[in-house]
Structures are given as C-alpha cells and as structure tokens.
Amino acid sequence: MSADTDTDADAREQLIDLAEEFYEQFEGGDVPKMRIPTRTKSNIEYDEDKNVWVYGDRESTRTAKTISGAEKLLKATYTIDFLARQLDQDRSSTLRELYYLSESWDVDEAQFNSQDESNNLIEDLEIVSEVKREDFHMRPEESGAKVMGPLLLREQTNRGDREIHCQDDVGQGGYQIPNNPDTIEFLDNDAEFVLCVETGGMRDRLVENGFDDEHDALVVHLGGQPARATRRLTKRLHDELDLPVTVFTDGDPWSYRIFGSVSYGSIKSAHLSEYLATPEAQFIGVQPEDIVEYDLPTDPLSDSDVNALESELEDPRFQTDYWTEQIELQLDIGKKSEQQSLASYGLDFVTDTYLPERLDEMGVL
C-alpha cells in the first residue's frame, strides 16, 4: 500500500470515528454535540515549544438541543458521508463543488445556504478529526500562486511523476503551486533565499528584471492573501532547504496581515499553524519608514485602515517593538503606499536599489 493510500485510509477512518461519536451519543441517550475551538483573535496564544500561534482553551459547542445546532450536525454528518465516499473512490472536489453538491442531498436541512457555511464546516471537521482538508481530497479554487527560481523538483500527478526546474522548464509565469505541496519532492536547488511577493505586478517586475537569476532567489507570488498551499510550500522551503524567507508587500494594514499569515499563521487556520506558518519569515516592506525615507507616492489612510492598524496594535501576533514602532508611525503620518510606488524612481529601482539594500540590512544578502 502506498503512502498516499495509507493517508486516505487514515483520513477516512478519522471521519468515520467522528460520525460514530454522534451515533454513540444518540445511543447513550445524550444530545449529540461537537466541540470546536473559538476562532477569534482573543483565543489564540503563543506555543513556545512549537514557536507558532495556536488556539487557546475557549470552545464553542454545536449541539442538537437547538434547531440551528441540530441542522449543523446534520450537515456535518452528510458531509462526512460524502468525504468518506470520495476517499473510497480516490476522487477529489473543490470547496465550491461541495457547496453545489449539497443541493442534491435528499434532506433540505442538510443543504448549505452559502459557500461560507460549507467552508466553515470543512474547517470544523479538520479541527475535530485532526485531518487536513487536503487529506480529505478537498481543494480550493485555483489560487494562481507561482514560483520562479533555481529549484528542481519532482511533482506527483495523476498522470505520473514530473521533474520540473522552476526556471529552465517554465515560462515567464513560473511554476504553478499544486493544491497539496506535500506531493512535491525537492531534488536540487541553487537558491539563497525565498522572496514572497504580494502583487502580481511586482512579481512580474522582479522576473522581467531577472532578480531571481541575479540573486539566486526563489520568487513566490502570494496572490494577495496567500492560499494554504502557498504557505505550506514556503514553510517547506524554509524547513527542508534551510532557506531564509522574506515577505514583500504593500505598505498598508491589510498587507501586514498577509505577512502575518505567512509568519504567524491566520486566526481561521490556527489549528494548522505548525503545518503552515514560518515564524522565521522576515518582513521587507513597504515599511511606513520607507514611505517617509523615500518620500513615496501615497494615499491617505481610510477610516477602515486606521481601525485595522489600531486593531493590529492590540493583536498579540503584532505586539513587538518593531511592529509597534512601524504602526504608530503610519498612524502618525496618516498615509499608505503600494509596492509599485517604488517605480517613481524608475522601473529598475526596486531590483537594483531598494530590495538589495533592504535584504542586506536584514542579513539575507
């Protein structure tokens, strides 16, 4: 039996065990229930042993004592049945497909009212079963995240294994990150560090200017808020290849949260922080102090920007001297700036001057 087959069997067994718990509660005369960690900022805490942010002790309960709770457990049972059959058949589906598939279920109350509802249920099942959704054969819609740089890998596909060099064997678009990066085997690399980039425009600028080639960088396009596959691959590049990880974003509170999801982990997936987060990741910028130092073109902070920055000052993941200083500076100047604003100094400024200087300051170059 292959490792993948073992994983499928283990995932199916965990799901069936969960469904059996509901049955045993019924049989014992108890009201069925399912306990889930409360997924809020106030219920995350730092695990010093694992060096990541995880859920605390607060829990919420899905119970059949109420109509709403009973419907949630019904939907969970139908979803478990679907996932178990999917694993039996060695098939896969997207989160979006699950939402639509539920419309064919024979009990109206088991059907999902929105994709957010089905997405949240999959996350609930991940937590209580301790099985990742990738092992359920569930995947998101295409994230579009790609890698460009001096890395040779082998990817397992349903058409056999493929060896791919992420510069020589790809076009300008780079290597498409698969839904489950654990199907990738790293064969060889000449990379010195990983550079995660928020926007597609900046990623294209770096590739066009040959930044990956000149500095032996693995340029990872985050595509905005990074998908789990992107964060998982980034962590593997750091842990298995011993590559420093850096993150280059816009200079606004939402982009700082993008860095946070790479480095600290996100609140909604704190149960997977050890699997997804790279605590050693470093923030390049655009920093508020860069906005001042380079006198970059800016936009004024909106009310929602200000609220987000103030929230980050209270967020335990951002309570360091560095982030406190940067966020307070940004609130003081009342401005934000995009990565592309560096082009005000010319198209080559970001690759010839800004990034080399910042990476040298950070001890990466």
Side-chain angles (χ1 to χ4, degrees), residues 42 60 75 111 131 193 271 303 305 353:
S42 60
S60 57
K75 293 173 183 181
Q111 299 171 11
V131 177
F193 66 100
H271 59 294
D303 290 343
D305 292 330
T353 303

Side-chain angles (χ1 to χ4, degrees), residues 66-257:
T66 65
I67 293 176
S68 173
E71 286 184 350
K72 288 179 180 178
L73 291 183
L74 179 66
K75 293 173 183 181
T77 303
Y78 268 76
T79 302
I80 289 171
D81 177 66
F82 164 74
L83 293 174
R85 285 187 286 110
Q86 176 168 272
L87 289 168
D88 273 342
Q89 298 166 9
D90 194 24
R91 302 288 299 277
S92 65
S93 56
T94 68
L95 295 171
R96 186 66 172 168
E97 286 173 327
L98 174 61
Y99 164 59
Y100 284 118
L101 278 165
S102 76
E103 294 188 3
S104 67
W105 293 346
D106 56 5
V107 176
D108 289 347
E109 289 77 10
Q111 299 171 11
F112 296 113
N113 298 313
S114 68
Q115 187 176 345
D116 282 346
E117 185 180 26
S118 57
N119 288 354
N120 288 336
L121 177 56
I122 290 294
E123 290 169 3
D124 288 347
L125 293 178
E126 278 190 314
I127 295 171
V128 296
S129 70
E130 298 183 349
V131 177
K132 303 184 301 294
R133 76 178 182 209
E134 290 81 2
D135 295 332
F136 294 155
H137 290 195
M138 292 299 302
R139 61 183 190 275
E141 299 305 311
E142 190 57 66
S143 71
K146 298 177 181 178
V147 178
M148 177 68 85
L151 172 68
L152 177 66
L153 54 81
R154 180 184 293 119
E155 180 186 344
Q156 300 171 17
T157 76
N158 57 7
R159 298 184 181 183
D161 291 354
R162 297 187 306 151
E163 289 191 9
I164 303 168
H165 191 279
C166 297
Q167 281 175 326
D168 299 341
D169 300 331
V170 299
Q172 286 284 98
Y175 166 70
Q176 181 82 41
I177 299 174
N179 172 59
N180 186 359
D182 287 339
T183 62
I184 294 173
E185 178 185 356
F186 301 135
L187 301 178
D188 192 19
N189 89 97
D190 295 309
E192 295 294 330
F193 66 100
V194 178
L195 175 61
C196 299
V197 183
E198 175 183 356
T199 66
M202 181 54 69
R203 178 262 172 211
D204 291 347
R205 168 57 48 211
L206 300 185
V207 171
E208 181 178 315
N209 285 13
F211 186 84
D212 57 303
D213 195 40
E214 181 176 353
H215 295 284
D216 293 325
L218 282 176
V219 178
V220 177
H221 177 211
L222 297 178
Q225 188 65 35
R228 284 169 38 158
T230 310
R231 288 180 281 155
R232 175 58 180 165
L233 179 63
T234 300
K235 180 174 179 60
R236 287 194 60 201
L237 291 169
H238 173 271
D239 291 355
E240 297 173 33
L241 302 183
D242 197 29
L243 295 176
V245 171
T246 60
V247 183
F248 182 27
T249 73
D250 289 338
D252 63 53
W254 318 105
S255 297
Y256 307 152
R257 293 180 185 184

